[in-house]
Each structure stands twice: as structure tokens, then as C-alpha cells.
Amino acid sequence: MDATPAHQEHPVSHPAIRPDTRTLATVAHTAFFLLLGASVARFLLRHPGEPRTPWVLALSITLALLYVLGPVLGPSLGPSLGATPGAAPTRRRLLWLGLVVTTWAVLVVLAPSFAWCAVPLFFTALRTLPPRAAVVLVALLTAFVVTAQLQLSKSFDPNLLLAPPAVAALATAVFVHMERQAQAQRALIDDLIRTRRELAATERREGTLAERQRLSMEIHDTLAQNLSSQQMLLQAADRTWDTDPATARAHVRTATGIAAHGLAEARRLVHDLAPSELADGAGLADALRALDAGPDIKVRFHLEGAPAPLPDRVQSALLRIAQGALANVREHSGARTAALTLSFLGDQVVLDIADDGHGFTEPRTDTDGRGHGLPAMRARVRQLGGTLTIESTPGEGTVLSAAIPLEPAP
């Protein structure tokens, strides 16, 4: 499993140019060239053949080239493109902005009608400079526009004095509000992505722990129980080898069969962790019918109700519970017989394991350290939404019942 902590994953990266910024920049650039072209046309119509005309045309072309070359020379030079709001401007960016503003100011001195080109420059200043410096520059540009418009007017017009500041204030307020919303949105996206990564890391850790628990239960209910049975049989064979060789050999043959079964189970566990008894299309009833609890305990199997298809997880869990219960019967109960009953009750399937052993007053908790036992069975049933009940009376045996709900048939 990937154990990389959430904080070591790749950091969140924002696109160099957000879609909203690209749209706003396109609108501002288009407006700038439209206003510049309209100002040139107005000047040529109003002042044909004046000596300052070559200078006005030269400065207009220079301003247009500067405005075009800004994005071409790099994001740090372009108006708004790629510039991070609030970031300290580079020297090249300040140089570029200074050249644009200076060229525009000289052009306005020669032809005041070019003053309205300042509106797109508001946007450029706000995107290029830190907030305070940008507001100062916008105020200076606005004052320049007011002065130029008053020069064009033949008489005092209050609109020329109040309209440019109002437009500049509105544009600045809208832009600042949009930037704050964008920053809040970026922070929210960062938080969501970080939370998603933390949740994914938590789910991976929980999945790893659950898988470890499941594997430990699988090993306990198969390999550990088989090894325990082999140990008991070989010990019995060792005790009777000299006095009853035939019985000792029978114990060894049984241990050999259990070892072969354990080897197959180990291979199946490595392959796909599915019970070998359920491989090759074998049903749960057949797998339960083939179980045994050792040479000294007779195991009977009963099937009640109409068998219904069971999910693989349910079949595997019930088989493991039966194996674990029979192992407990063999090792702890002193029973002579055990009965397995698989009941299909429509909305649930129930597995009962009963023995005629000496019973107990409190469920065993496997304090001998050999495995999971009853806790493992409870965990399996709980994972499937079922219940595990145990009824036992000293001297009268034990009945273990595992009930797992089934989804209704469509």
C-alpha cells in the first residue's frame, strides 16, 4: 500500500492563467485597441495636417507595439497575463508598465482625446502592481484624464470633473472584489483538495488495517488450525507408536492429509485469499459437509430451506466461522459429536454449530495466544451486518449461531 503521507504529495498548482482572468484580459486588450484606434481617427479628422500629427501617429504606434510586446516578452511583462495578484512586481514588469504609462501621458499632452485609453490601463495597473501602488497609479491616471478632458471642453462641465473618478472608482472596486473572491475560491479549492488527500490517506490506512485483520483471521482459521490439528495427531501417534502402531499410523496418515489440505489452502490464500473448499465452483453446503473436527469427533451436516445463491464474501465468512468453531470444539470442548446446520430463511442465512461437550460459563477469549477464535468470528459476522450468538451450559454442550442478512431477490 502507498504509505506516502498526505503532506508529501504533489502540491496544489493553479493554472498560470485562469479562465476568468483570460476573459477579462481579452476584453481589456480589445477595449484598449478600440479606444486607441478611435482616438487616432478622431485626431486625424479634427486636426488634419497639423505639425504634431507625425508625433501623434508615432507615439500611437509605439504605444500599440509596447502593449502588444508585453505578453510576447513573457508573463512577467504582459498586462495581467500570469501576474499573481499581490505579488511583488519584477523590474522588467515595472519598466514595461512605466514605458506604457509614459508614452500614453506624452500622447495625451499632444492630443487630449487619447485620455480615455486610460480605462484599460486601469486594469493593467491593478493586475501588475500591488493593491496600494495600483490604487495610487489609478488615481494619477484619473487626474490626468480629468485634466485632459477639461482642456478639450470649451466651458466648465461638472460631468468631466466627476465622471472619470466615478468610473475609475467603480472599476477599481469591482476588480478588487473579483480578486478577493478569486483568492477565497482558490483557498477553498486548496482546502478541499487537502481534505480529499487527507481522507484518501485515512481510507488507505483503514483499508490496510482491515486487510491485515482479515489476513490474520484467514491464517488463524486455516493454516494455524491445520497446524494445530497436525500437532495433536502427531503427538497422539508418538504416544501410541510402540503400543498401537496401527492407530499411530492412522494418526500420521490423517496428519498427512491435513498437511496436504493446508498446503492447498496456503497456495489458494496466496493466489486470491479465497477458501480452497469453495474453489472450482464448489458450494457452501458441500464445503461444510466435507469439514471434520479430528478422528475422535463425529461431525454431521444438515441443510434446511431452499438453497439460495450467496455472495462469495458470505460463503467465505460462514466457512471460516465453521472451521474456527470446529477447531474450538476439538481443542476445548471434549465433545464426541458436532452438528453443522445451514438454514436458508429467505431474508437471512443462519449457520449453527452445536456440540455435546462440557460447555462453559463464559466465552473463551483465546488468552492462550494461539489465535483470534470467537473475536475473529464476531468480526467476520459484523463486517457483513450479521449477528453471532453463543449459548452454552456447563455439562450440556454449546451452540454457536451466525446469522447474516441477505438482500431480497429482485
Side-chain angles (χ1 to χ4, degrees):
M1 302 297 290
D2 185 6
T4 304
H7 63 274
Q8 291 183 359
E9 298 184 17
H10 296 294
V12 179
S13 59
H14 301 289
I17 305 175
R18 303 192 311 273
D20 56 343
T21 301
R22 185 191 301 273
T23 302
L24 188 58
T26 302
V27 172
H29 301 339
T30 303
F32 176 82
F33 287 108
L34 287 176
L35 290 173
L36 182 61
S39 299
V40 171
R42 183 180 186 278
F43 177 82
L44 293 178
L45 291 174
R46 294 289 183 89
H47 309 282
E50 288 196 4
R52 54 179 173 164
T53 299
W55 290 100
V56 171
L57 293 177
L59 289 172
S60 298
I61 295 173
T62 302
L63 181 61
L65 290 176
L66 284 173
Y67 205 85
V68 169
L69 290 177
V72 175
L73 294 177
S76 62
L77 294 176
S80 81
L81 294 179
T84 302
T90 62
R91 291 184 178 180
R92 292 188 302 169
R93 188 182 304 175
L94 290 176
L95 176 61
W96 175 85
L97 182 60
L99 290 175
V100 171
V101 172
T102 301
T103 304
W104 170 81
V106 175
L107 190 58
V108 172
V109 171
L110 294 176
S113 58
F114 284 84
W116 287 110
C117 294
V119 176
L121 294 181
F122 292 166
F123 171 76
T124 302
L126 290 169
R127 286 297 301 172
T128 304
L129 298 175
R132 292 184 180 180
V135 170
V136 172
L137 181 57
V138 168
L140 294 176
L141 294 177
T142 304
F144 212 75
V145 170
V146 171
T147 303
Q149 292 302 308
L150 291 176
Q151 289 179 357
L152 288 177
S153 178
K154 297 180 180 180
S155 60
F156 177 75
D157 188 349
N159 287 333
L160 299 178
L161 182 63
L162 299 177
V167 173
L170 180 61
T172 302
V174 170
F175 184 85
V176 171
H177 177 69
M178 291 177 56
E179 284 299 328
R180 288 178 178 175
Q181 282 190 328
Q183 291 176 4
Q185 185 179 25
R186 289 194 294 270
L188 178 60
I189 292 174
D190 288 344
D191 289 339
L192 290 176
I193 294 177
R194 182 168 55 252
T195 301
R196 184 178 63 184
R197 289 176 174 173
E198 292 175 354
L199 179 60
T202 301
E203 290 177 349
R204 285 197 297 270
R205 289 193 296 268
E206 292 178 352
T208 301
L209 293 177
E211 184 68 11
R212 289 176 178 175
Q213 182 183 17
R214 189 174 73 86
L215 286 176
S216 64
M217 291 189 297
E218 294 283 349
I219 294 173
H220 169 269
D221 292 339
T222 56
L223 301 182
Q225 299 296 353
N226 286 339
L227 291 174
S228 177
S229 299
Q230 294 175 52
Q231 183 185 34
M232 295 177 60
L233 289 169
L234 293 176
Q235 289 175 347
D238 182 65
R239 289 193 299 269
T240 60
W241 191 265
D242 296 329
T243 59
D244 192 354
T247 301
R249 291 190 181 92
H251 288 329
V252 171
R253 286 193 294 270
T254 303
T256 302
I258 294 176
H261 176 77
L263 179 60
E265 185 64 38
R267 288 171 177 170
R268 175 64 59 179
L269 187 64
V270 171
H271 182 261
D272 58 3
L273 301 180
S276 60
E277 294 87 350
L278 298 176
D280 301 326
L284 177 61
D286 294 335
L288 293 175
R289 189 177 286 111
L291 293 180
D292 66 78
D296 299 327
I297 302 177
K298 183 178 181 180
V299 179
R300 297 190 302 271
F301 174 76
H302 303 279
L303 178 63
E304 296 184 359
L310 298 176
D312 293 340
R313 292 182 59 201
V314 174
Q315 294 190 68
S316 178
L318 291 177
L319 178 60
R320 295 309 188 204
I321 290 172
Q323 290 174 327
L326 290 180
N328 287 341
V329 170
R330 179 179 63 248
E331 296 182 20
H332 305 303
S333 70
R336 304 295 298 175
T337 60
L340 300 178
T341 303
L342 181 64
S343 304
F344 290 89
L345 305 180
D347 60 343
Q348 64 178 347
V349 59
V350 180
L351 175 64
D352 297 313
I353 302 98
D355 67 73
D356 60 356
H358 50 65
F360 51 84
T361 56
E362 294 292 338
R364 304 182 66 93
T365 57
D366 289 330
T367 55
D368 56 5
R370 288 183 293 176
H372 294 287
L374 294 179
M377 299 180 197
R378 295 187 189 278
R380 289 183 185 277
V381 174
R382 185 168 54 251
Q383 290 174 356
L384 297 173
T387 57
L388 182 73
T389 58
I390 302 174
E391 298 178 1
S392 182
T393 302
E396 298 183 7
T398 302
V399 177
L400 183 147
S401 179
I404 296 177
L406 298 178
E407 295 183 359

